[in-house]
Amino acid sequence: MPSSWTVLISIHAIAAGYSLIFGAVNLLRRIKGGRVHRIIGRIWAVAMYVVVLTSFGIRTIDGGFNWLHALSALTFCTLTAGLWAIQKRNVRAHRSFMTGSYFGLLGAFVGVLTVPSRRIPQLAIHELPLLWLLILTLLGTSALTVIGISQLRKTQTIPVTESQP
């Protein structure tokens, strides 16, 4: 990684990558509300909270906050509201809050990509093979996770019976 990548920024970027992938998987799946949807959704929500919370430690060059930090605060609220809504079995509100949170993430990602001085565009300019390796690693580990979770659906528990003496 380039020397300008701190541990905090690395954690933030990895969590954001997973958030982009797992959020897309859940939004694009036809079946909602099942076991696989809930597990992928939990992974996505944890990754989103990591993105939001680490963002507050990442400051602008002058040490301040910018529009991305405001989006993080909003995302924290919408993500929490979406989780609260599904706990209350309000599927419509849950869907709205989670979809909004995901599209906010996409907006932030596009915003980051459009500023050439930010780390990801710099990585694309100066270390493209490393960027592709990171992208493929995120996609590969995400795919393995989704495949593994999907296998949970196919497994059945076999009751254990005590043997008679």
Side-chain angles (χ1 to χ4, degrees):
M1 290 279 176
S3 61
S4 61
W5 284 70
T6 65
V7 172
L8 182 67
I9 291 171
S10 297
I11 291 169
H12 179 79
I14 291 166
Y18 282 128
S19 295
L20 286 166
I21 295 166
F22 286 115
V25 167
N26 248 4
L27 287 175
L28 296 174
R29 289 185 77 246
R30 293 170 128 207
I31 300 170
K32 307 281 196 245
R35 186 176 184 188
V36 173
H37 176 83
R38 288 191 307 271
I39 293 169
I40 291 172
R42 287 180 182 129
I43 294 169
W44 176 76
V46 168
M48 285 292 288
Y49 278 121
V50 170
V51 171
V52 166
L53 295 175
T54 56
S55 74
F56 294 112
I58 301 169
R59 305 294 173 90
T60 61
I61 293 172
D62 61 359
F65 292 103
N66 63 21
W67 67 273
L68 290 170
H69 294 98
L71 182 60
S72 288
L74 177 64
T75 300
F76 183 87
C77 294
T78 59
L79 187 59
T80 303
L83 293 172
W84 180 261
I86 202 62
Q87 288 293 324
K88 297 296 180 185
R89 305 213 188 288
N90 186 343
V91 175
R92 176 181 277 164
H94 170 74
R95 184 183 311 120
S96 295
F97 282 122
M98 295 311 198
T99 303
S101 296
Y102 184 76
F103 283 108
L105 173 69
L106 280 178
F109 183 62
V110 169
V112 164
L113 292 179
T114 60
V115 179
S117 63
R118 299 207 47 121
R119 287 172 176 85
I120 293 175
Q122 285 297 308
L123 197 58
I125 293 167
H126 300 293
E127 298 188 51
L128 190 57
L130 176 59
L131 179 60
W132 276 111
L133 176 64
L134 295 172
I135 291 169
L136 291 174
T137 301
L138 283 172
L139 289 171
T141 55
S142 297
L144 289 173
T145 301
V146 171
I147 290 167
I149 291 168
S150 296
Q151 293 302 312
L152 291 175
R153 199 173 44 165
K154 297 175 184 171
T155 61
Q156 295 181 2
T157 56
I158 300 170
V160 178
T161 58
E162 292 184 29
S163 60
Q164 301 292 329

